[in-house]
């Protein structure tokens, strides 16, 4: 009798636990269990090499790794941190620390603007989850390095050192790409923890100039705006990774939605909120957005009125591939946007959840043990360059995991 009661109590407790688990809990947990297994698989590969960072897979399905100076180097550690946050697995935490600390030398890196991605996705999450002051110091030094690329003349951070137009005719020394909005989060962080407003002021001036020069009246965006470094004048508005100069490259739009949502969180400036919302509405309401919410790689690829420049490789790939990375970034951004007090909050929330469910379906999510250990399939690096077409990408996985964490936390 005594034994029977004990079993009954345990079974009742298990039953109660399950009845208190919402559909959301089950969904997030199922994705976490999958992600943890896949990341362990990817860790096996990465730990064998130990000095290079997973990015995608190659033609034969092998994992392609890059050195730490590539813009994607921080996403692997960041993915490990988000997986740790979901499951609190001690081994995952140790691996996240190991892969974060490999990036420390980047704190003095000044060769391109992507330091924000590289350091904030790795060290930023490391600091958020451990409060280790050593990580804070690395982040502040990285913000100093990123700030060296700011010019008061253009009021912008210089993304790349040089950009050559796809028409083969022009070269520019001060290109600014929409992706750069993402790197501002590191600067906002540095001002918060040091009390020095310099970093934040740079971020604000940069974001204001993006609104002025990079966002179109319909709240789509140009990928690249080229400035004259001497006068600050805008010389050209073009694309590097989109279909055409006047088209809307999907991931660029996603960076904008995410970047302005983050800028509103950090400043409370209503202009940023409005920009984030209008950019989100462009994505959600676009006639060319498939029903599952996972956009094509460019909203205007192969459409009348949009022509790739002569040297672009875009015409070599006439298939309208989806870009899961753009969808993952958008899902994460929409879930954050939906948490603000805005009239359309439910629309953003539902759209973000819909994308998350699409991405975790077998159409986009890998079979366990496959895909080199990456979580998601069907992303696009750059069709204009003819590279990384319809492949897994580490940043798609990172923003998918971030979106799962955000979904878990919102009501
Ligand atoms: N930041 C580079 C890219 O989105 O491909």
């Amino acid at each position: 009798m005594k034994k029977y009661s004990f079993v009954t109590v345990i079974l009742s407790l298990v039953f109660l636990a399950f009845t208190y688990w919402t559909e959301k809990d089950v969904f997030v947990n199922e994705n976490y269990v999958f992600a943890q297994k896949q990341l362990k698989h990817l860790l096996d590969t990465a730990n064998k090499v130990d000095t290079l960072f997973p990015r995608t897979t190659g033609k034969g399905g092998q994992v392609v790794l890059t050195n730490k100076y590539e813009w994607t180097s921080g996403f692997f550690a960041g993915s490990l941190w988000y997986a740790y946050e979901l499951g609190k697995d001690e081994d995952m935490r140790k691996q996240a620390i190991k892969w974060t600390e490999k990036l420390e030398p980047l704190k003095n890196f000044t060769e391109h603007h992507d330091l924000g991605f590289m350091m904030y996705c790795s060290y930023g999450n490391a600091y958020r989850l451990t409060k280790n002051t050593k990580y804070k110091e690395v982040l502040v030094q990285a913000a100093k390095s990123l700030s060296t690329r700011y010019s008061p003349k253009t009021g912008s951070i210089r993304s790349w050192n040089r950009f050559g137009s796809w028409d083969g005719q022009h070269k520019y020394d001060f290109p600014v790409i929409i992706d750069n909005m993402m790197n501002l989060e590191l600067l906002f962080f540095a001002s918060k923890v040091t009390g020095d407003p310099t970093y934040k002021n740079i971020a604000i001036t940069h974001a204001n100039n993006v609104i002025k020069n990079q966002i179109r009246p319909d709240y789509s965006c140009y990928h690249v705006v080229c400035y004259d470094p001497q006068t600050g004048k805008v010389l050209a508005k073009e694309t590097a990774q989109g279909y055409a100069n006047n088209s809307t490259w999907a991931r660029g739009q996603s960076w904008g939605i995410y970047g302005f949502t983050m800028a509103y969180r950090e400043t409370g400036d209503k202009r940023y909120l409005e920009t984030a919302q209008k950019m989100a509405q462009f994505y959600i309401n676009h006639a060319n957005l498939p029903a599952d919410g996972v956009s094509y790689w460019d909203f205007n690829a192969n459409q009348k009125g949009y022509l790739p420049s002569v040297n672009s490789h875009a015409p070599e790939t006439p298939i309208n591939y989806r870009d899961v990375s753009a969808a993952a970034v958008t899902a994460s951004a929409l879930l954050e946007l939906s948490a603000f007090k805005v009239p359309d909050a439910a629309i953003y929330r539902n759209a973000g959840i819909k994308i998350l469910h699409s991405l975790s379906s077998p159409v986009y999510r890998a079979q366990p043990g496959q895909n080199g250990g990456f979580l998601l399939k069907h992303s696009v690096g750059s069709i204009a360059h003819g590279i990384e077409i319809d492949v897994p990408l580490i940043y798609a996985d990172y923003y998918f995991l971030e979106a799962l964490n955000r979904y878990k936390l919102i009501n």
Side-chain angles (χ1 to χ4, degrees):
M1 181 63 191
K2 213 172 173 189
K3 193 173 168 207
Y4 175 74
S5 309
F6 178 73
V7 172
T8 311
V9 169
I10 295 295
L11 283 176
S12 308
L13 283 175
V14 170
F15 176 75
L16 272 175
F18 273 103
T19 49
Y20 277 105
W21 265 39
T22 61
E23 203 186 317
K24 179 171 86 169
D25 296 330
V26 174
F27 173 77
V28 172
N29 190 58
E30 194 274 328
N31 274 292
Y32 161 67
V33 171
F34 162 78
Q36 198 202 26
K37 282 200 195 116
Q38 286 296 94
L39 281 168
K40 286 201 166 156
H41 182 33
L42 194 49
L43 274 163
D44 285 343
T45 309
N47 280 326
K48 270 187 206 122
V49 182
D50 213 41
T51 50
L52 299 173
F53 300 79
R55 168 154 164 159
T56 181
T57 55
K59 291 253 183 301
Q62 78 286 6
V63 173
V64 174
L65 306 130
T66 69
N67 68 39
K68 60 176 167 291
Y69 305 106
E70 287 289 324
W71 78 277
T72 50
S73 61
F75 292 116
F76 184 48
S79 298
L80 299 173
W81 280 118
Y82 276 130
Y84 166 69
E85 190 173 10
L86 284 170
K88 300 293 180 298
D89 177 79
E90 185 50 25
D91 192 43
M92 197 57 86
R93 193 181 74 88
K94 286 195 186 125
Q95 291 294 335
I97 290 172
K98 173 180 162 181
W99 283 92
T100 296
E101 292 184 353
K102 284 178 193 295
L103 298 172
E104 183 173 351
L106 290 178
K107 67 187 178 192
N108 297 316
F109 182 73
T110 58
E111 283 308 301
H112 56 69
H113 72 143
D114 287 316
L115 203 59
F117 280 116
M118 295 143 91
M119 299 307 263
Y120 204 69
C121 299
S122 55
Y123 273 89
N125 280 308
Y127 180 65
R128 185 173 64 80
L129 294 168
T130 65
K131 293 288 172 260
N132 183 336
T133 52
K134 196 173 77 179
Y135 297 157
K136 181 170 70 178
E137 283 153 24
V138 171
L139 286 161
V140 171
Q141 180 53 41
K144 279 195 185 119
S145 300
L146 178 58
S147 302
T148 63
R149 299 189 64 83
Y150 176 75
S151 153
K153 194 51 102 181
T154 62
S156 302
I157 296 164
R158 188 183 184 202
S159 293
W160 304 320
N161 294 342
R162 207 144 165 81
F163 169 66
S165 301
W166 281 121
D167 65 10
Q169 305 291 309
H170 304 95
K171 294 227 180 300
Y172 298 101
D173 291 332
F174 205 112
V176 175
I177 64 174
I178 186 68
D179 323 27
N180 210 332
M181 283 301 301
M182 303 295 285
N183 295 318
L184 306 183
E185 195 165 4
L186 173 67
L187 301 181
F188 286 121
F189 170 86
S191 278
K192 266 191 299 202
V193 297
T194 60
D196 177 351
T198 314
Y199 311 104
K200 183 176 175 165
N201 289 341
I202 289 174
I204 288 171
T205 311
H206 183 98
N208 291 346
N209 281 315
V210 172
I211 292 179
K212 188 167 150 212
N213 299 321
Q214 205 136 6
I215 308 297
R216 301 186 183 114
D218 66 355
Y219 285 88
S220 66
C221 58
Y222 288 98
H223 181 201
V224 191
V225 172
C226 302
Y227 291 89
D228 181 328
Q230 313 307 332
T231 64
K233 217 176 121 227
V234 172
L235 300 175
K237 298 184 180 190
E238 305 199 359
T239 197
Q241 282 159 264
Y243 183 73
N245 290 340
N246 60 340
S247 74
T248 301
W249 174 50
R251 196 164 58 248
Q253 190 71 15
S254 310
W255 294 141
I257 300 166
Y258 190 118
F260 280 104
T261 302
M262 175 276 297
Y264 173 66
R265 181 221 306 146
E266 296 299 331
T267 61
D269 186 329
K270 286 275 173 358
R271 270 212 314 160
Y272 300 155
L273 179 62
E274 189 195 353
T275 306
Q277 289 184 94
K278 298 256 174 72
M279 292 191 86
Q281 284 155 16
F282 179 95
Y283 183 107
I284 294 168
N285 300 328
H286 202 281
N288 217 11
L289 181 70
D292 63 9
V294 179
S295 61
Y296 296 110
W297 71 278
D298 189 297
F299 282 94
N300 310 108
N302 304 306
Q303 284 175 2
K304 216 168 143 212
Y306 300 90
L307 256 191
S309 294
V310 284
N311 293 327
S312 166
H313 295 271
E316 293 160 22
T317 310
I319 299 167
N320 279 356
Y321 283 108
R322 304 294 186 92
D323 183 6
V324 155
S325 74
V329 174
T330 303
S332 187
L334 290 175
L335 290 172
E336 173 160 50
L337 189 56
S338 76
F340 297 131
K341 284 194 174 52
V342 287
D344 283 347
I347 293 175
Y348 304 135
R349 181 192 157 90
N350 292 340
I353 294 171
K354 179 163 89 175
I355 296 174
L356 258 188
H357 277 271
S358 298
L359 295 184
S360 57
S361 78
V363 178
Y364 301 107
R365 205 179 82 173
Q367 289 302 312
Q370 314 243 308
N371 210 31
F374 292 97
L375 312 185
L376 302 176
K377 306 178 282 182
H378 302 312
S379 285
V380 162
S382 182
I383 285 185
H385 292 86
I387 55 163
E388 299 177 338
I389 300 169
D390 199 23
V391 291
L393 287 168
I394 188 68
Y395 43 100
D397 291 1
Y398 172 87
Y399 288 102
F400 176 63
L401 287 166
E402 182 181 77
L404 284 171
N405 271 288
R406 286 181 171 179
Y407 183 35
K408 188 177 172 179
L409 292 175
I410 60 171
N411 291 320

